[in-house]
Amino acid sequence: MTDHDFSFETKLLHNQHKFDATTGGVSVPIQHASTFHQSDIDQFGKYDYSRSGNPTREALEEIIAELEEGTHGFAFSSGMAAISTAFLLLSAGDHIIISEDVYGGTFRMVTTVLTRFKIEHTFVDMTDLESVEAAVQPNTRAIYIETPSNPLLKVTDISAVCDIAKKIGALSFVDNTFLTPALQKPLKLGADVVLHSATKFLSGHSDVVAGLAVVKDPLLAQRLGALQNSFGAVLGVQDAWLVMRGLKTLSVRMDHSQRGAEKIAAHLKNHHLVKKVYYPGLADHPEHAIQKRQSLGAGAVLSFELASEEIFRSFVNTVELPVFAVSLGAVESILSYPAKMSHAAMPADERDKRGISNSLLRLSVGLENPDDLIKDFDAALVNIAKGGVLAAK
Ligand SMILES: *Cc1c(COP(=O)(O)O)cnc(C)c1O
């Protein structure tokens, strides 16, 4: 039996870094050295300087490459470092088509930094293939997909958009942060570059900031590797180790959190103080069928809009279990306020255009018992009703 016969859950533990070849240690050693002694004048060893290559970082890069079913992985100091380095594959005069409700930091990079380097962009509703086609220009060199999108959980048909990219000779980038390779494998659906904020589900414990990129084409791997080394935003070894430790439990965490998200989404959908629930796992989500076809699940993030900003404020002040914070994908549930957090970098009129209202909350479901979260939410919503917020309206 080869490694490839094992399932994803098993590969999280039984990969080529299961134990250290020299000591048998069942944990990847942390190699702090920045430089490596060379014992031959003419022939340097595999490692010379840790920005260019480090065994601890490399272990993580090999593990993520295998999990995403690519050939080469690259670890960066943050998700934005991974994304920004991937954008360096483009040149002045190029044009990008990009999901309109993309992560706020990516929006900022594209609109305020890349523009200064004469890289143009068009935001599109990526769920509408015609508008993707319509946005194509002679200089379109990349299509950038985030699916499910943030915070409205819109789902893009990855193969269909990658086909458009191929047809016009453009690269396709997919931000796979929300679903991770446990649920979705963009490279298998035709993407060229998969990007991650490993800060989220991959590491999973709100204790490290990291980014990853994976490609399958060896030539593209060479170009991205050269950019990683040139730009230099590499991941530190302690952080690489933390991501590797988090990865071992990725499947069980995703399973539990996703089941919780399904339950909570169904519950909130029936609550009279909840205006709308956004979760691709709900049968009436507009892209539910695409989500089912291209992934193994809808993930553990959902968004919901409360009936008014007043109710929203009272809810956030009353609810006890989730931390109220930016970020997602952790063992503890995280409640975020997209308008003021992940999408604060987006101007108010742009947020309005995208439906990111001031009473929208995003919930990343953690490892609590989902029934406790439901109890907590219900209690907060009852409190609102008793507090007379509704009557005051
Ligand atoms: C958090 C996030 C990023 C940015 O990652 P950092 O690790 O914070 O730099 C990019 N994309 C998505 C979808 C994210 O959630």
Side-chain angles (χ1 to χ4, degrees):
M1 219 197 285
T2 69
D3 275 0
H4 301 286
D5 298 316
F6 294 122
S7 60
F8 185 85
E9 297 92 302
T10 304
K11 280 197 221 167
L12 287 173
L13 307 161
H14 301 278
N15 51 50
Q16 56 176 311
H17 297 288
K18 176 176 175 177
F19 56 81
D20 176 38
T22 47
T23 63
V26 188
S27 171
V28 172
I30 300 180
Q31 177 52 266
H32 268 282
S34 58
T35 187
F36 297 80
H37 173 68
Q38 306 301 324
S39 37
D40 187 292
I41 296 175
D42 298 310
Q43 194 115 51
F44 284 6
K46 181 177 176 193
Y47 305 105
D48 56 8
Y49 185 62
S50 274
R51 170 164 35 72
S52 318
N54 169 285
T56 310
R57 191 177 82 229
E58 188 178 73
L60 169 60
E61 293 175 332
E62 287 173 357
I63 290 170
I64 192 63
E66 181 180 357
L67 297 178
E68 283 287 6
E69 300 192 35
T71 62
H72 292 79
F74 302 92
F76 297 90
S77 53
S78 69
M80 281 318 304
I83 292 165
S84 304
T85 305
F87 278 137
L88 295 180
L89 288 163
L90 301 165
S91 303
D94 290 354
H95 170 254
I96 315 166
I97 299 172
I98 182 161
S99 299
E100 65 182 353
D101 53 349
V102 79
Y103 176 73
T106 308
F107 177 89
R108 177 171 51 206
M109 181 68 197
V110 167
T111 55
T112 69
V113 181
L114 295 188
T115 44
R116 288 199 292 107
F117 292 87
K118 307 281 179 265
I119 296 168
E120 304 168 345
H121 59 268
T122 305
F123 286 106
V124 298
D125 174 357
M126 222 30 103
T127 64
D128 175 9
L129 296 175
E130 277 173 23
S131 64
V132 179
E133 302 242 23
V136 171
Q137 298 182 11
N139 58 339
T140 303
R141 295 283 177 268
I143 305 187
Y144 188 102
I145 303 167
E146 193 179 307
T147 184
S149 71
N150 181 13
L152 296 178
L153 289 306
K154 288 184 175 184
V155 176
T156 292
D157 184 334
I158 298 175
S159 333
V161 173
C162 291
D163 282 349
I164 297 174
K166 276 194 188 72
K167 210 169 60 189
I168 60 168
L171 291 171
S172 46
F173 295 1
V174 178
D175 183 331
N176 203 26
T177 299
F178 272 42
L179 292 189
T180 80
L183 298 174
Q184 176 169 278
K185 303 233 178 85
L187 294 177
K188 282 175 80 179
L189 298 167
D192 294 307
V193 184
V194 175
L195 297 159
H196 280 286
S197 169
T199 313
K200 318 294 168 56
F201 291 103
L202 293 182
S203 60
H205 293 70
S206 302
D207 54 11
V208 60
V209 173
L212 295 167
V214 184
V215 300
K216 55 180 190 270
D217 176 59
L219 224 65
L220 194 55
Q222 245 175 35
R223 291 174 62 201
L224 197 56
L227 288 169
Q228 181 194 35
N229 191 32
S230 301
F231 192 61
V234 293
L235 186 62
V237 292
Q238 299 270 3
D239 291 344
W241 188 89
L242 278 170
V243 177
M244 283 188 276
R245 181 160 77 171
L247 272 172
K248 294 184 184 187
T249 55
L250 177 66
S251 279
V252 285
R253 287 187 286 105
M254 286 308 278
D255 265 9
H256 179 93
S257 293
Q258 175 171 263
R259 267 184 277 121
E262 282 164 2
K263 203 166 180 179
I264 293 165
H267 181 81
L268 289 177
K269 199 168 153 1
N270 291 322
H271 200 289
H272 68 287
L273 294 181
V274 179
K275 204 153 135 195
K276 194 160 176 177
V277 177
Y278 300 88
Y279 182 61
L282 291 171
D284 63 354
H285 182 283
E287 293 96 36
H288 180 65
I290 298 170
Q291 182 68 52
K292 270 181 92 165
R293 193 175 69 226
Q294 72 183 7
S295 71
L296 296 173
V301 179
L302 60 117
S303 292
F304 56 101
E305 192 174 358
L306 290 172
S308 71
E309 192 169 341
E310 225 172 349
I311 291 169
F312 157 88
R313 285 181 177 275
S314 170
F315 177 80
V316 173
N317 285 330
T318 315
V319 81
E320 282 178 30
L321 285 179
V323 295
F324 183 59
V326 293
S327 200
L328 58 112
V331 288
E332 61 281 336
S333 290
I334 301 177
L335 194 61
S336 331
Y337 187 19
K340 297 278 161 69
M341 293 176 173
S342 59
H343 289 66
M346 193 178 273
D349 57 324
E350 295 288 338
R351 285 201 301 267
D352 288 345
K353 253 192 259 169
R354 290 160 172 80
I356 305 168
S357 82
N358 281 347
S359 41
L360 184 79
L361 280 166
R362 189 187 70 198
L363 176 71
S364 165
V365 180
L367 299 186
E368 300 89 348
N369 184 325
D371 292 337
D372 289 334
L373 289 164
I374 287 173
K375 223 187 283 176
D376 187 29
F377 292 177
D378 278 355
L381 289 167
V382 164
N383 180 309
I384 291 163
K386 282 207 189 113
V389 174
L390 275 188
K393 266 197 73 165

